[in-house]
Amino acid sequence: YIDARNCHDEVSLQNKVFNEIASVLRFDAIRQQGPHQFAEKAAQIAALLGMFRVLVILDHADGVGVEDADDFWTWASNIPYPSLLLIVTKDRCYKFATAVPVGGFGPSDAQAFLEHHAGAHQGKLDEEDAAAILRLSGGAADGILLLLGQHAHGRRLAAVEPGTLPQQAIPID
């Protein structure tokens, strides 16, 4: 996991990524190379990623766009097998990006998650309330926890039914 929140240019981004990967794989000699040795570090890290199966999660990659770090993003789009790079960003500016919808748990996993977190409130949570929590949350973990908290404090279970939000804004007179 690499937090790229404070990386605002190509040099800081590539050093953060390369140094974190080298550190995790315990290749400290790579970390000690200078920040402007992109080609050497890139080749060494690519070789390591080709030898070891590594999932690199680059979070908060919003600060550095393709135009600002073309060499790095070209390198990132060619991560060798068996490794994988997952880029988490709010932007859709990367020419090799694929949006992945993030949904809730499937029905059985959502039920298990609810049962696990219901804990002390389980005696107070009947089947109808449990079904309402699962339906209203759409299986999303945060939604389940929020609605479980509402129920535990005696509040009426309320949420917008999944799929009922209007597709266009409704004008208010």
Side-chain angles (χ1 to χ4, degrees), residues 141-158:
D142 288 339
I144 292 171
L145 294 175
L146 176 73
L147 292 167
L148 187 57
Q150 281 184 338
H151 182 270
H153 292 297
R155 297 187 180 113
R156 185 175 73 81
L157 293 176

Side-chain angles (χ1 to χ4, degrees), residues 13-75:
L13 178 64
Q14 71 193 27
N15 275 310
K16 178 85 170 182
V17 171
F18 294 166
N19 288 342
E20 288 292 326
I21 293 170
S23 177
V24 167
L25 296 176
R26 292 190 164 84
F27 282 83
D28 291 329
I30 296 172
R31 292 183 65 218
Q32 294 170 2
Q33 294 176 6
H36 295 285
Q37 293 178 295
F38 176 79
E40 295 85 6
K41 275 186 156 181
Q44 291 170 335
I45 294 296
L48 289 174
L49 293 175
M51 287 190 291
F52 301 102
R53 174 176 272 169
V54 179
L55 171 61
V56 179
I57 301 172
L58 182 59
D59 198 3
H60 301 288
D62 309 278
V64 183
V66 172
E67 300 78 26
D68 302 326
D70 193 49
D71 288 341
F72 177 80
W73 294 120
T74 299
W75 176 87

